[in-house]
Amino acid sequence: DVKVTQSSRYLVKRTGEKVFLECVQDMDHENMFWYRQDPGLGLRLIYFSYDVKMKEKGDIPEGYSVSREKKERFSLILESASTNQTSMYLCASSPTGQANTEAFFGQGTRLTVV
Amino acid sequence: KQEVTQIPAALSVPEGENLVLNCSFTDSAIYNLQWFRQDPGKGLTSLLLIQSSQREQTSGRLNASLDKSSGRSTLYIAASQPGDSATYLCAVQLYNFNKFYFGSGTKLNVKP
């Protein structure tokens, strides 16, 4: 069974903390994504990576950075957490260059910044 | 920029009804279209993927169709059940593979 696993379901962090959200996939997918989901705003792409050490900004990269040192792992970093980063964070992966490019999502991390 | 719209935003039906969820997109040059289900507070679960060369895909009580030329996809759910209650999202993928554009979803409530 294919799987995308996010390290935490719930996190509570203080303003100004450096926060790491981890995502691991076991499908050998080239592409990995980080989205945030907020009521009324839908899913918004923060960053994506199409290969190891490669990354591109999505629609809302401000305040975030990412790291992809290994193909299976994609980390989202909040350099200095702020209350407006309280959200549901979703990681996804998908293959590339094939007919079937089905994307799979993790279970989500609900982050609260206080 | 690709825009994806889902109508209706919410739908409430009695158990047993057949129903159709709609998804429209502005740019027909898509690679694939994928339907997802999301339960409250959870991640997205993939339901069906339709490749751009296909017209429809079926999985159990679900059937998804794709009409690229008109920029539309529909998700048909047969004999709905209370367990089908969730938010359903569609997403289109472009040929560069590295971006999905999501609709805002249809929140479905199936009443027992």
Side-chain angles (χ1 to χ4, degrees), chain A residues 72-105:
Chain A
E72 67 270 19
R73 186 180 297 270
F74 192 35
S75 302
L76 179 70
I77 303 155
L78 285 66
E79 298 291 345
S80 177
S82 64
T83 55
N84 63 12
Q85 292 179 309
T86 292
S87 186
M88 169 70 98
Y89 289 86
L90 295 165
C91 174
S93 73
S94 72
T96 192
Q98 306 170 22
N100 184 344
T101 57
E102 188 173 6
F104 295 91
F105 278 76

Side-chain angles (χ1 to χ4, degrees), chain B residues 38-90:
Chain B
Q38 186 176 30
D39 294 291
K42 302 285 183 66
L44 277 64
T45 300
S46 177
L47 296 174
L48 288 164
L49 175 97
I50 309 177
Q51 298 170 25
S52 59
S53 58
Q54 299 173 327
R55 296 297 297 270
E56 65 179 298
Q57 280 285 345
T58 298
S59 176
R61 294 182 293 108
L62 305 180
N63 176 275
S65 66
L66 175 63
D67 184 344
K68 277 181 59 177
S69 60
S70 67
R72 292 182 183 180
S73 176
T74 60
L75 179 67
Y76 175 83
I77 303 177
S80 58
Q81 303 170 358
D84 295 331
S85 297
T87 296
Y88 291 81
L89 297 107
C90 68

Side-chain angles (χ1 to χ4, degrees), chain B residues 11-19 61 77-85 108-112:
Chain B
L11 183 63
S12 184
V13 300
E15 182 177 3
E17 261 197 25
N18 302 324
L19 57 99
R61 294 182 293 108
I77 303 177
S80 58
Q81 303 170 358
D84 295 331
S85 297
L108 173 65
N109 178 36
V110 181
K111 298 172 289 187

